[in-house]
Amino acid sequence: TKSTLISHFNGNLSSPIKEEEAILLHSCTASYDLLTHLITDPNDIILTPSPFYARVRSDCGERSQCRIEAVPLDPFNPTLIVSDYQREIDRWTAEGIPVRGIIVMNPHNPLGNIVSKEELIELCEWAMSNNLFIIVDEILAGTIYSQEKFTNFPSILDLLNQLSKPDLIVWMSSLSKDIGIPGVRSSLCVIPSSPLRRALIRLESLTAVPAPDQLIVKHLLNDQNWISCLLSLSRSRLHSHSKFVVDSLNSIGISAVSPQAGMTLMADFSKFLSDQSLSAEDELHLRMVNGGVILTKGGPTHAASPGWFRIAFGVPKEELEIGIERIIKILVPGETLNCKLNNE
């Protein structure tokens, strides 16, 4: 199964994954859990750009008791700026709290932007100069909408030979997002560092992939023609769904970030808050729930300001249209949905 996953992920890489550096685990959640258990002590800090996928805080902290701290991004220009990370490491160092690593999700969850090769190299070199581990999560790489961007995606695995300390890199991915099988527990973790890899192998049995899941993965990935058609159709539909959501929200004056990948986006509902506070965000969230729509509040994702919400649009066309209609009905009574969602 590990060899099958490696072959699958190698499909878009110019530098193939070395089998001896790869470890099969039952999920990216397990990878975060075990890695942070190994590289951090309680109260140590891992930095990550925000807004971030809220679950990563518990993925990393439940066992290790480390802390995930945010490095804010501009949602409409989400560039990784080294000086922002330096400011954060200086702040925590002054308080006597060690920073042990950074997490980069590329493509980003929930913004859906793609980090450029130049940004990655600059940030990694800065992290390496501070002896920080860099955990790069590429679970959304298979969902990039544009064929050109998909083909030219700057995987960190293709950049290892350009980095001064590649042993500080950890890469992970799984099939749960692009192929849409989160219930089939399998992920791949690539660790160039021999000491860290040996330590993780000793814990591998805690998160072993069940035999039935391994059989499912192997059979699915053996049909590469089907996988290729599935990914192409999925990327096309996700692109259509994201555009439909952005256009629909724009029609009632809500700014939304257009993603380049993934099945989520961030939108600014602050004009509908009673005041610019997290308690007002909670009130709006409750209005949404009572109206039959569940969105992720910006607060847990460390969004830029109150009123940002994370919208997941990787759902059937009919459900997405109903959801957007309900949002419009809740926020602008009497307004109707004018945008159309077309899936070929």
Side-chain angles (χ1 to χ4, degrees), residues 292-330:
V293 180
I294 297 178
L295 307 179
T296 302
K297 294 180 289 186
T301 74
H302 277 260
S305 57
W308 283 88
F309 283 80
R310 174 182 181 264
I311 299 175
F313 51 81
V315 297
K317 173 180 183 288
E318 295 75 17
E319 292 181 20
L320 186 60
E321 289 175 332
I322 291 171
I324 294 298
E325 286 172 354
R326 287 178 180 176
I327 289 174
I328 292 174
K329 182 179 178 181
I330 293 164

Side-chain angles (χ1 to χ4, degrees), residues 76-115:
F76 292 102
N77 184 27
T79 305
L80 301 179
I81 301 173
V82 166
S83 59
D84 292 342
Y85 286 81
Q86 186 64 54
R87 182 184 64 247
E88 291 302 312
I89 200 172
D90 289 344
R91 177 162 75 97
W92 294 115
T93 300
E95 295 185 21
I97 304 175
V99 176
R100 299 298 187 192
I102 61 176
I103 293 172
V104 178
M105 294 185 179
N106 191 30
H108 188 269
N109 181 357
L111 291 175
N113 65 291
I114 300 170
V115 181

Side-chain angles (χ1 to χ4, degrees), residues 25 28-48 55-69 100-103 133-135 170 172 189 191 196 199-200 203:
L25 298 172
C28 284
T29 289
S31 300
Y32 281 122
D33 172 41
L34 296 183
L35 286 167
T36 50
H37 178 60
L38 291 170
I39 69 174
T40 68
D41 290 319
N43 208 44
D44 286 354
I45 284 172
I46 303 287
L47 299 175
T48 194
R55 174 68 197 177
V56 78
R57 174 169 279 131
S58 48
D59 285 352
C60 293
E62 285 179 347
R63 186 195 304 268
S64 71
Q65 300 299 301
C66 73
R67 294 161 51 188
I68 301 296
E69 295 294 342
R100 299 298 187 192
I102 61 176
I103 293 172
F133 282 98
I134 305 103
I135 299 172
V170 176
M172 69 174 75
C189 195
I191 305 176
L196 181 58
L200 189 59
L203 300 175

Side-chain angles (χ1 to χ4, degrees), residues 247-276:
D247 290 346
S248 299
L249 295 179
N250 286 346
S251 72
I252 57 170
I254 294 174
S255 297
V257 180
S258 295
Q260 298 173 306
M263 57 282 299
T264 65
L265 59 79
M266 295 294 289
D268 182 5
F269 289 75
S270 58
K271 65 179 287 185
F272 294 100
L273 298 182
S274 56
D275 61 72
Q276 298 304 303

